[in-house]
Amino acid sequence: MAQVTLRKVVKAYEGGVQAVKGIDLDIADHEFVVLVGPSGCGKSTTLRMIAGLEEISDGEISIGGRLVNDVPPRDRDIAMVFQNYALYPHMTVFDNMAFGLMLRKFPKEEIKRRVENAARILDITPLLQRKPKALSGGQRQRVAMGRAIVRDPKVFLFDEPLSNLDAKLRVQMRTEIKKVHQTVRTTTIYVTHDQVEAMTLADRVVVMHGGVIEQVGPPQELYHNPKTRFVAGFIGSPAMNFIPARLENGAGALRVHLPGDIVLPVPAERTARYSALAGKEILFGIRPEHLTEAKNLERPNVAQMLATPEVTEPMGMETLVHFKMAGAEICGRVDPTAPAAPGQPLPMAVDLNHMHVLEPQSGRVL
Amino acid sequence: MSTTTAGGFVPAEMKHGSLRRERRWAMIGAYVALAVFVVFFMTPPFHMLVTSLKGSAEIADLSGNPWLVSAPTLQNYWELLTQGNYLLHFRNSIIVTTCTVLISMVVSTLAAFALARMKFWGSATLATGVFLTYLVPETLLFIPMFQIVGSLGLYNNMWAMVLIFPTLTVPFCTWIMIGYFASIPKELDEAALIDGAGHLQMLWKIFIPVALPGILAAMIFAFTVSWAAFIYPIAFLVSSDQMVLTVGIVSDLIRADTFQWGKIMAGALMAALPPLLVYAFLMDYYIAGLTAGATKG
């Protein structure tokens, strides 16, 4: 097991397109790190460079303290699980899992012991003599994970392993992956475009965008203290609302002036943090769960405003209400019993304890 | 249709019946067409068989029905197998074809793997170039080939065929296999790379087993081309002991204007047996190989 270090890693393709633009990342031993971001953000390229499947244009990658820039994939002591499983179709499940060990000339008994052990962890012992085509998607993904586990590598690499599974199976396999990591404790780097997967699995999440790392941190920190507009908008579902507003200074207190003459007082403890932007245009950020129906106004720093929903989406445990404010689409979460109906004005409570103020130009969150 | 009832509702059994009727007509049409094809293509072999079972006198007798045998005899077969060089030609054909198939498969599998997977500068152009060489006809090539074979001292030597036939088979076999290898997902070789396989191990343990239908298709092609080749053998082989079947039959059994029709037909029929057996056993693979990648497997 080992730590993984990336220093100023660049991937440039012919024609000068840079997929990865000089990223730095330190992954600790035993850690489960998820690289997340939209398509084309460079997350898969980064993973493939760690695996050795893509050459590094510049920078350094070390695994377990050893520089691996010029080390071929087979000598990096890594195992990888692919999106489409990449099982060898002509081999049985046992042979698929044993292949890497056979190439490395492990003794037969050792191979058998390891494969059977991995099969037990993944609950696929009855499938060992089947061919991949006789397996369901979930079973194939388990075999692919088994192939990684038997190798007992320094690092596990997962490249969107759940994307080909249906929604229910994906949730189930997510738990499975977490369990496996808790059992084997191997350093894991996991790539996904699904922020829910990232949040639920990771010790630390790395949000990538346009070939650079936007923010690295534990899931809760990314959720509550995003540093950039991209992270604020990417993490969380439904996404954070951004409303163009103005930060006003009045009578020793700051106020957020929203379109439609809605004025919200900034909590006193945040005044110092935001005072630099006083009198300027800002983006007011608020998550849907902090924009609820007005029922507990007695709490401090909760302001009220009137909204007219255009669309309501009952989800069962809550109802999403969508309305417009100065051209921006706003989403709030209300109790399913709240009288939310399209076209009917609904008093909403804004929990300013969880407000965010962003610089419109830089997208930086204060 | 008049069976449609008011409201556009069609009773299930009626709909079913009309479907079945349509299907029946389609089947009848297919069988008629197939029967025509079978008759058309089986007539020459049948004529060969009939002729091979006749004695010379009966063949020369123009008054009889050419499609019937009045006095069937295995004399032609017996003489071919016991006298003359027919068995020697058969043996030569087997040696030449076996070697050609082996050489073609080794060269084209390696070439296809390199061109399909080991992306290097100019590999795409080279792949197209390989196929283009297949388009140059033998009739154009046999004179330069003659010079090459002559300068190697292999004129009138059946081993020259082992050298030359792969020029006919390798380009097309490579092309078939490039297509087949390209249809194997890239992740499979990446998984093998990470599992610790080198390029040759990857080829041997992953690509060849997975692409076996395509490889067998290429193998059948190489076999057919080599077994049936005529222009090169007739241009380069002159003495009977070096000849392969295709030229051996027409050289030894036609003397000036004397055609030993019975033996020619018997010889050709027996020569057709090995391809027949190969096709019979490998046909399913052949079809699977030719249609590879046509649909999502």
Side-chain angles (χ1 to χ4, degrees):
Chain A
M1 302 200 188
Q3 69 278 24
V4 178
T5 315
L6 279 72
R7 287 279 168 268
K8 305 255 172 298
V9 172
V10 174
K11 177 69 194 183
Y13 290 104
E14 280 171 42
V17 180
Q18 282 202 341
V20 177
K21 300 172 182 168
I23 59 171
D24 289 296
L25 185 62
D26 286 292
I27 297 164
D29 198 5
H30 305 309
E31 197 176 17
F32 196 123
V33 163
V34 176
L35 306 183
V36 68
S39 309
C41 71
K43 56 189 190 297
S44 276
T45 311
T46 305
L47 189 81
R48 292 169 59 80
M49 284 193 288
I50 297 170
L53 297 173
E54 298 268 357
E55 277 183 38
I56 306 169
S57 310
D58 200 7
E60 289 181 351
I61 294 181
S62 314
I63 297 174
R66 179 171 71 126
L67 187 69
V68 293
N69 282 20
D70 299 317
V71 177
R74 61 175 160 178
D75 298 327
R76 292 192 181 198
D77 203 3
I78 48 157
M80 187 155 168
V81 177
F82 295 86
Q83 179 178 347
N84 65 1
Y85 327 124
L87 298 179
Y88 310 123
H90 59 295
M91 295 184 192
T92 61
V93 168
F94 184 97
D95 291 339
N96 261 285
M97 287 162 73
F99 187 62
L101 300 177
M102 288 197 287
L103 290 178
R104 288 177 163 77
K105 308 242 180 315
F106 273 67
K108 277 217 169 92
E109 305 75 54
E110 174 68 6
I111 294 178
K112 192 163 180 290
R113 193 187 63 76
R114 285 199 188 192
V115 171
E116 283 171 357
N117 188 36
R120 205 166 32 247
I121 293 175
L122 294 162
D123 207 12
I124 50 171
T125 308
L127 310 177
L128 282 177
Q129 293 315 316
R130 290 208 201 157
K131 294 266 177 75
K133 67 168 183 255
L135 303 178
S136 68
Q139 289 170 333
R140 286 180 202 185
Q141 198 53 279
R142 277 167 207 263
V143 176
M145 279 164 64
R147 189 166 63 181
I149 291 172
V150 292
R151 292 258 318 279
D152 191 18
K154 282 187 184 151
V155 185
F156 281 151
L157 306 174
F158 288 85
D159 191 3
E160 308 223 13
L162 305 184
S163 300
N164 280 6
L165 304 179
D166 63 58
K168 201 174 163 190
L169 203 54
R170 205 177 304 162
V171 176
Q172 199 184 330
M173 286 303 291
R174 208 166 68 198
T175 325
E176 206 71 38
I177 291 176
K178 198 155 190 173
K179 265 194 228 159
V180 168
H181 181 251
Q182 281 163 2
T183 313
V184 299
R185 303 295 300 152
T186 307
T187 311
T188 302
I189 308 174
Y190 186 108
V191 161
T192 179
H193 61 268
D194 180 353
Q195 52 99 17
V196 178
E197 256 170 55
M199 296 287 283
T200 49
L201 286 170
D203 294 327
R204 277 195 307 154
V205 178
V206 178
V207 182
M208 291 187 69
H209 181 223
V212 296
I213 293 178
E214 290 269 336
Q215 191 174 349
V216 184
Q220 292 298 330
E221 186 192 316
L222 255 56
Y223 189 79
H224 293 294
N225 298 311
K227 285 191 179 138
T228 64
R229 177 177 179 170
F230 180 80
V231 177
F234 190 79
I235 301 288
S237 177
M240 186 188 282
N241 300 300
F242 298 107
I243 310 165
R246 199 176 162 76
L247 201 60
E248 289 173 348
N249 211 342
L254 284 176
R255 293 178 310 196
V256 176
H257 193 144
L258 295 179
D261 269 342
I262 301 168
V263 179
L264 306 170
V266 173
E269 63 270 21
R270 292 179 175 237
T271 312
R273 207 199 301 181
Y274 300 150
S275 57
L277 284 182
K280 293 193 176 142
E281 299 294 328
I282 57 152
L283 275 180
F284 173 71
I286 189 88
R287 291 207 181 271
E289 59 266 38
H290 302 130
L291 199 56
T292 58
E293 78 279 17
K295 58 175 183 184
N296 36 14
L297 274 176
E298 63 278 8
R299 280 174 50 211
N301 300 326
V302 175
Q304 193 179 359
M305 63 183 220
L306 208 59
T308 307
E310 287 184 340
V311 178
T312 62
E313 294 178 316
M315 311 285 285
M317 61 179 285
E318 64 187 8
T319 297
L320 300 180
V321 293
H322 296 272
F323 54 92
K324 272 212 172 89
M325 193 183 271
E329 292 276 354
I330 309 298
C331 174
R333 284 179 153 167
V334 301
D335 194 89
T337 57
Q344 299 286 322
L346 179 72
M348 302 283 285
V350 190
D351 188 347
L352 296 166
N353 293 305
H354 297 281
M355 65 176 278
H356 297 275
V357 170
L358 293 86
E359 274 182 345
Q361 285 81 28
S362 67
R364 196 168 60 94
V365 182
L366 289 187
Chain B
M1 268 169 67
S2 58
T3 51
T4 309
T5 52
F9 175 71
V10 182
E13 69 275 15
M14 241 182 236
K15 209 169 167 185
H16 195 68
S18 90
L19 265 183
R20 213 157 43 190
R21 205 159 47 236
E22 264 180 41
R23 190 178 145 72
R24 197 166 61 227
W25 279 112
M27 292 303 286
I28 291 172
Y31 275 115
V32 169
L34 283 172
V36 170
F37 270 112
V38 168
V39 169
F40 185 78
F41 284 106
M42 289 311 287
T43 304
F46 176 71
H47 188 245
M48 286 165 74
L49 179 70
V50 168
T51 311
S52 73
L53 295 172
K54 291 178 182 175
S56 304
E58 192 180 345
I59 294 170
D61 180 10
L62 295 178
S63 62
N65 186 335
W67 299 99
L68 296 175
V69 196
S70 56
T73 168
L74 290 174
Q75 188 66 24
N76 293 319
Y77 291 90
W78 180 247
E79 282 177 13
L80 270 181
L81 296 174
T82 53
Q83 305 158 19
N85 281 338
Y86 185 78
L87 281 180
L88 184 67
H89 298 154
F90 215 110
R91 193 204 69 173
N92 289 352
S93 268
I94 289 174
I95 292 173
V96 167
T97 301
T98 309
C99 293
T100 304
V101 168
L102 284 179
I103 293 172
S104 308
M105 293 332 290
V106 171
V107 173
S108 48
T109 307
L110 289 171
F113 181 69
L115 290 171
R117 276 306 202 260
M118 302 162 76
K119 294 285 171 218
F120 50 89
W121 188 83
S123 56
T125 320
L126 202 57
T128 317
V130 165
F131 187 63
L132 288 181
T133 62
Y134 174 66
L135 301 180
V136 183
E138 291 169 72
T139 37
L140 218 67
L141 284 176
F142 83 92
I143 293 172
M145 284 289 189
F146 192 90
Q147 289 186 316
I148 294 170
V149 166
S151 63
L152 289 173
L154 287 172
Y155 177 67
N156 191 27
N157 185 332
M158 71 164 187
W159 291 103
M161 299 303 109
V162 175
L163 201 65
I164 290 171
F165 287 168
T167 64
L168 300 172
T169 56
V170 165
F172 191 69
C173 289
T174 308
W175 189 253
I176 292 181
M177 276 192 269
I178 288 177
Y180 217 90
F181 285 171
S183 72
I184 296 175
K186 194 93 180 71
E187 283 86 353
L188 223 54
D189 18 328
E190 292 179 344
L193 269 184
I194 288 176
D195 265 343
H199 280 301
L200 276 181
Q201 278 172 316
M202 196 195 295
L203 175 67
W204 187 246
K205 301 206 163 168
I206 310 288
F207 272 70
I208 290 181
V210 172
L212 199 60
I215 291 172
L216 284 174
M219 210 183 239
I220 292 177
F221 172 81
F223 174 86
T224 313
V225 165
S226 172
W227 192 262
F230 186 72
I231 289 183
Y232 287 145
I234 203 155
F236 301 156
L237 304 175
V238 285
S239 55
S240 184
D241 66 324
Q242 293 297 319
M243 282 178 182
V244 292
L245 274 174
T246 44
V247 285
I249 291 171
V250 293
S251 308
D252 280 15
L253 303 177
I254 302 172
R255 289 275 175 245
D257 57 352
T258 315
F259 288 70
Q260 305 181 49
W261 281 120
K263 280 198 207 169
I264 292 175
M265 294 306 172
L269 268 185
M270 285 193 284
L273 270 181
L276 206 67
L277 291 175
V278 168
Y279 274 80
F281 285 114
L282 300 179
M283 198 57 180
D284 288 347
Y285 284 111
Y286 190 53
I287 290 166
L290 285 184
T291 56
T295 54
K296 193 170 177 288

